[in-house]
């Protein structure tokens, strides 16, 4: 069974996520019995698992070889931030919070600015290098509401709460310290990543209602198309600017499972401005999460296989 799962692009994340989402859709309270069961199967353990992955992946970052990550992932992440934040601000100023084509500025901003680090990690375990895998924690900054909060902070003339960013970077930084003080820590912690990825997929799926995703309807489908139309620039930058095969850039064409909660978070911060758009935005973002989690791994697999980049 595990070998069959591994043959699917990002299968160690995608398969448990979809199975868990299916169970959650029809039996949302199945594992809500408290204790260890709820933490390991009911979604309550998501943040702990993500923190553990950030730490373990951090041990694999060799500071002597950090130039590779800065030249590739660093450039791509900077481009993702500039393009995502810039286009979101343009969308808000042009169409207002109501947006256009049934897509509110809230849904647009959350989607365009997101990256699914779980898909990234799973794909890099299959097709990338050890250094590609190790920078998981940095991609995780685009799974939380940090960038959308910056966008709305600028749009509203307010400030930015950096706590979520700092709390994401600390576990990775601790891992980097351990891994560079003694390389044996890398050999000790890095092998845990595939198993943790599987558990993360399950926990992120247990909270995704597939029926709600379908209810997003035409707006959600249009948003998914727009997302790909804009974020294909990540693939193009990786391929034509950085002179790679494009697979790492393609992994950024995903939306994180955690992003579905960003609508409620931003709605709570700006209730008078965004309150009426939260529900529809969450449904539309959810549809794009499912769509990109399924479609993008096959794009990455095609790019990697075509150029003989499979390393594991």
């Amino acid at each position: 069974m595990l070998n069959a799962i591994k043959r699917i692009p990002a299968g160690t994340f995608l398969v448990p996520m979809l199975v868990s989402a299916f169970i959650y859709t029809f039996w949302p309270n199945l594992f809500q019995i408290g204790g260890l069961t709820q933490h390991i199967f009911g979604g309550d353990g998501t943040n702990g698992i993500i923190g553990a992955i950030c730490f373990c992946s951090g041990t694999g970052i060799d500071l002597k070889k950090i130039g590779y990550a800065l030249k590739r992932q660093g450039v791509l992440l900077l481009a993702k931030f500039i393009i995502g934040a810039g286009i979101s601000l343009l969308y808000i100023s042009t169409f207002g919070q109501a947006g256009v084509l049934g897509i509110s500025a809230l849904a647009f901003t959350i989607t365009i600015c997101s990256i699914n680090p779980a898909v990234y990690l799973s794909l890099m375990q299959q097709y990338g290098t050890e250094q590609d895998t190790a920078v998981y924690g940095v991609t995780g900054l685009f799974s939380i509401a940090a960038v959308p909060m910056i966008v709305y902070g600028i749009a509203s003339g307010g400030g930015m709460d950096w706590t979520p960013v700092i709390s994401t970077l600390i576990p990775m930084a601790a891992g980097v310290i351990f891994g560079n003080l003694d390389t044996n820590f890398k050999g000790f912690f890095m092998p845990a990543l595939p198993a943790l990825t599987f558990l993360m997929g399950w926990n992120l799926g247990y909270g995704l209602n597939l029926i709600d995703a379908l209810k997003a309807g035409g707006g959600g489908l249009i948003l998914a198309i727009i997302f790909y139309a804009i974020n294909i620039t990540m693939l193009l930058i990786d391929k034509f600017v950085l002179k790679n095969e494009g697979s790492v850039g393609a992994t950024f064409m995903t939306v994180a499972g955690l992003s579905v909660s960003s609508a409620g978070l931003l709605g709570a911060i700006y209730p008078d401005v965004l309150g009426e758009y939260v529900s529809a935005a969450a449904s539309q973002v959810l549809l794009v999460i499912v769509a990109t989690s399924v479609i993008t791994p096959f794009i990455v697999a095609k790019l990697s296989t075509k150029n003989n980049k499979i390393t594991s």
Side-chain angles (χ1 to χ4, degrees), residues 126-156:
Q126 286 182 274
Y127 306 117
T129 67
E130 188 176 78
Q131 286 299 301
D132 290 327
T133 301
V135 297
Y136 160 87
V138 183
T139 63
L141 293 175
F142 289 79
S143 70
I144 58 179
V147 180
M149 286 173 68
I150 291 174
V151 169
Y152 272 96
I154 295 173
S156 65

Side-chain angles (χ1 to χ4, degrees), residues 256-270:
L258 290 176
S259 291
V260 75
S261 64
S262 297
L265 177 61
L266 288 165
I269 297 174
Y270 304 102

Side-chain angles (χ1 to χ4, degrees), residues 23-55:
I23 293 174
Y24 178 81
T25 299
F26 296 100
W27 302 285
N29 296 315
L30 183 62
F31 300 114
Q32 304 303 300
I33 61 174
L36 298 179
T37 297
Q38 190 163 324
H39 275 81
I40 199 68
F41 294 122
D44 283 10
T46 302
N47 288 335
I49 293 170
I50 292 174
I53 292 176
C54 286
F55 175 83

Side-chain angles (χ1 to χ4, degrees), residues 152-175:
Y152 272 96
I154 295 173
S156 65
M160 165 66 185
D161 180 9
W162 293 98
T163 303
V165 176
I166 295 171
S167 67
T168 300
L169 290 176
I170 288 177
M172 186 183 71

Side-chain angles (χ1 to χ4, degrees), residues 6 8-13 53 56-57 117-134 136 189-200 248 251 300 304 309-312:
K6 286 182 176 179
I8 301 171
T12 54
F13 165 80
I53 292 176
C56 291
S57 64
V119 174
Y120 171 86
L121 178 61
S122 185
L123 288 168
M124 288 301 97
Q125 287 170 351
Q126 286 182 274
Y127 306 117
T129 67
E130 188 176 78
Q131 286 299 301
D132 290 327
T133 301
Y136 160 87
F189 285 108
M190 286 288 283
L193 286 177
L196 288 170
T197 303
F198 191 98
L199 290 174
M200 177 170 57
V248 171
T251 62
V300 174
S304 299
K309 291 294 183 179
I310 298 178
T311 60
S312 62

Side-chain angles (χ1 to χ4, degrees), residues 87-97 105-106 108-109 151-152 155:
I87 292 180
S88 295
L89 287 168
L90 179 62
Y91 191 90
I92 293 171
S93 64
T94 303
F95 302 112
Q97 296 302 333
L106 178 62
F108 182 90
T109 300
V151 169
Y152 272 96

Side-chain angles (χ1 to χ4, degrees), residues 80 83 87 91 95 100-104 107-109 111-112 218-233 253 255 284 288 292:
K80 173 78 175 184
I83 293 170
I87 292 180
Y91 191 90
F95 302 112
V100 67
L101 299 175
I103 302 169
S104 68
F108 182 90
T109 300
T111 302
I112 298 303
L221 291 174
I222 294 172
L223 183 57
I225 294 170
I226 293 173
F227 175 83
Y228 274 112
I230 293 174
N231 282 277
I232 197 172
T233 54
M253 294 159 47
V255 177
Q284 291 174 350
V288 184
T292 58

